[in-house]
């Protein structure tokens, strides 16, 4: 559970960072299509996206449909929402180190993030909102590391060790 939660945290971070990069710059429609396709390729979701295209996008643009697939779709195993649900489930399986029976801090963070996606509170995402989400997922990783690793969150990110000697 611990290893899979870590893998899913990393996948969520990578997908969020990818989407922030795609959304951060306004592009011409022909370039936007290529960029969207590249993002879907990187996220291994092109086939799922194309299958959805055949059933119609509703009122969404191609970019909006791609963002929805990679961010909010709990049925897509590559989406951020799917990762957050799995992370919440896995963290619930980890040993509780508190005697008071309350959820661990990392469990509360994961449940909050997952609930935002489940209730639709994560409905509108722009570059700034994605950066906030990326920071929240990083905070989740730090909370897990602080709780379960004796050296804390710095054990997971060597770049944070610079200047700590």
């Amino acid at each position: 559970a611990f290893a899979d939660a870590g893998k899913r945290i990393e996948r969520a971070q990578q997908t969020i960072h990818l989407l922030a990069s795609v959304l951060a710059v306004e592009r011409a429609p022909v370039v936007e299509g290529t960029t969207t396709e590249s993002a879907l390729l990187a996220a291994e979701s092109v086939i799922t996206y194309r299958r959805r295209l055949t059933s119609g996008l509703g009122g969404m643009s191609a970019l909006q449909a791609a963002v929805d697939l990679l961010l909010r779709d709990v049925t897509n195993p590559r989406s951020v929402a799917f990762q957050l649900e799995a992370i919440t489930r896995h963290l619930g399986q980890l040993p509780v180190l508190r005697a008071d029976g309350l959820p661990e801090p990392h469990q509360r963070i994961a449940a909050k993030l997952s609930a935002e996606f489940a209730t639709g509170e994560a409905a509108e995402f722009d570059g700034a909102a994605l950066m906030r989400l990326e920071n929240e997922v990083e905070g989740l990783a730090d909370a897990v590391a602080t709780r379960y690793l004796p050296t804390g969150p710095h054990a997971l990110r060597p770049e944070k060790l610079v200047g700590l000697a």
Side-chain angles (χ1 to χ4, degrees):
F2 189 79
D4 196 58
K7 177 181 80 171
R8 292 183 183 280
I9 287 171
E10 287 180 0
R11 182 174 288 159
Q13 288 175 315
Q14 290 170 350
T15 303
I16 294 165
H17 189 74
L18 174 69
L19 289 172
S21 299
V22 169
L23 294 176
V25 179
E26 232 177 277
R27 297 174 175 87
V30 70
V31 176
E32 185 175 286
T34 304
T35 305
T36 301
E37 178 99 5
S38 297
L40 289 164
L41 279 168
E44 300 175 349
S45 295
V46 173
I47 293 171
T48 305
Y49 178 78
R50 288 183 181 154
R51 189 175 58 236
R52 286 187 175 192
L53 279 178
T54 61
S55 64
L57 297 177
M60 289 191 271
S61 71
L63 178 61
Q64 289 169 328
V67 169
D68 188 65
L69 176 67
L70 296 176
L71 192 63
R72 299 180 191 99
D73 188 347
V74 294
T75 64
N76 177 13
R78 300 292 184 192
S79 77
V80 174
F82 187 94
Q83 303 314 313
L84 290 172
E85 276 191 5
I87 291 164
T88 302
R89 194 172 52 254
H90 290 315
L91 293 181
Q93 295 172 354
L94 294 179
V96 176
L97 302 176
R98 298 171 62 127
D100 59 11
L102 296 173
E104 298 279 348
H106 57 276
Q107 291 172 324
R108 288 193 305 271
I109 294 168
K112 175 191 160 283
L113 288 171
S114 187
E116 286 176 6
F117 280 87
T119 61
E121 291 177 31
E124 294 300 321
F125 278 97
D126 57 8
L130 286 168
M131 292 307 295
R132 281 192 306 276
L133 179 60
E134 187 173 17
N135 289 335
E136 289 176 356
V137 173
E138 184 175 326
L140 171 61
D142 287 347
V144 170
T146 298
R147 196 62 170 152
Y148 292 102
L149 300 176
T151 55
H154 298 295
L156 298 179
R157 281 195 223 78
E159 70 273 9
K160 287 193 173 183
L161 294 174
V162 174
L164 290 179

